[in-house]
Amino acid sequence: MKKFLNTKVIVGIVIVLGVINGLLAVAMPKKQEMSDEEAVIAFITAYQQGDYEEFKKYVSEDNQLNYIMAALGQDNTEMAAVYQMVHEQTKNVVFTAKAVEGRERWGEVTVTLQNVDLYTPVQVAMASAIEEQVTNGTDSFSDMPAWLLAGAANPGKTVKEEFTVYVGCSEGETVLDTNTN
């Protein structure tokens, strides 16, 4: 009879513990997941701060921005100085991120960026290197890090651009699709 009573007590305790655990699960707030807007803001803020560990949580390994972020604090490639200069010139980006109403299901966030133009000065530096190489027979165009660095060192006017970013989930992680093709 004593063994039976102990089994009843143990089963009762297990049931009570199960009920308490269930009540705690309902009563305790669940971990708040990051909104799509918050994910975009965290991504851009990580870029601004040069925080590669945080940054890479939001992009796939093949995203070209990884080259810039991975090069911060590195001097192990010919392009490291270029990537560091690009980051230095663009880290003060002014931005807004706003989820697209009615499109939350697809993770659409409209992003507006205002930053210096590096595209035009890099094009000018490239054209100059090509002209130098053709005219004088130098290897100036072949020295891509040099002309890229020259272009990035002389940013153009401030430009503003708006585009859509898609926030999704990949292998349980929040990721951004910055492919705007």
Side-chain angles (χ1 to χ4, degrees):
M1 184 76 170
K2 201 171 189 177
K3 281 187 176 184
F4 181 74
L5 183 58
N6 285 341
T7 305
K8 276 185 164 180
V9 170
I10 290 171
V11 169
I13 290 171
V14 168
I15 290 172
V16 169
L17 288 174
V19 169
I20 290 172
N21 189 34
L23 288 173
L24 286 175
V26 171
M28 299 295 285
K30 292 185 177 182
K31 181 181 174 188
Q32 182 71 26
E33 289 189 24
M34 191 177 283
S35 73
D36 296 339
E37 283 178 32
E38 291 168 330
V40 172
I41 290 167
F43 166 73
I44 297 172
T45 302
Y47 178 83
Q48 290 174 317
Q49 296 171 349
D51 184 350
Y52 186 45
E53 291 304 311
E54 183 66 20
F55 176 87
K56 67 183 178 181
K57 293 177 184 179
Y58 300 100
V59 294
S60 61
E61 289 179 14
D62 62 344
N63 188 298
Q64 293 179 356
L65 290 173
N66 280 308
Y67 294 117
I68 294 171
M69 296 300 287
L72 298 180
Q74 305 288 321
D75 288 326
N76 55 354
T77 69
E78 289 182 71
M79 292 295 291
V82 174
Y83 297 139
Q84 291 166 8
M85 176 64 74
V86 167
H87 181 261
E88 186 61 33
Q89 297 288 16
T90 61
K91 70 181 179 182
N92 294 318
V93 60
V94 175
F95 69 94
T96 60
K98 181 76 177 137
V100 178
E101 192 171 328
R103 304 286 292 175
E104 296 88 349
R105 179 179 186 174
W106 292 274
E108 286 188 32
V109 178
T110 299
V111 178
T112 303
L113 300 176
Q114 185 173 330
N115 211 338
V116 296
D117 174 22
L118 291 182
Y119 180 76
T120 303
V122 165
Q123 278 188 319
V124 169
M126 179 178 69
S128 178
I130 291 171
E131 183 179 352
E132 171 69 24
Q133 185 162 328
V134 169
T135 305
N136 300 325
T138 67
D139 67 347
S140 55
F141 180 68
S142 301
D143 188 1
M144 186 172 74
W147 58 260
L148 280 172
L149 195 56
N154 297 299
K157 63 182 181 182
T158 299
V159 292
K160 187 174 185 179
E161 188 173 351
E162 182 176 286
F163 53 94
T164 300
V165 172
Y166 297 89
V167 180
C169 189
S170 176
E171 298 178 14
E173 297 293 327
T174 300
V175 294
L176 307 182
D177 179 0
T178 56
N179 183 0
T180 57
N181 295 341

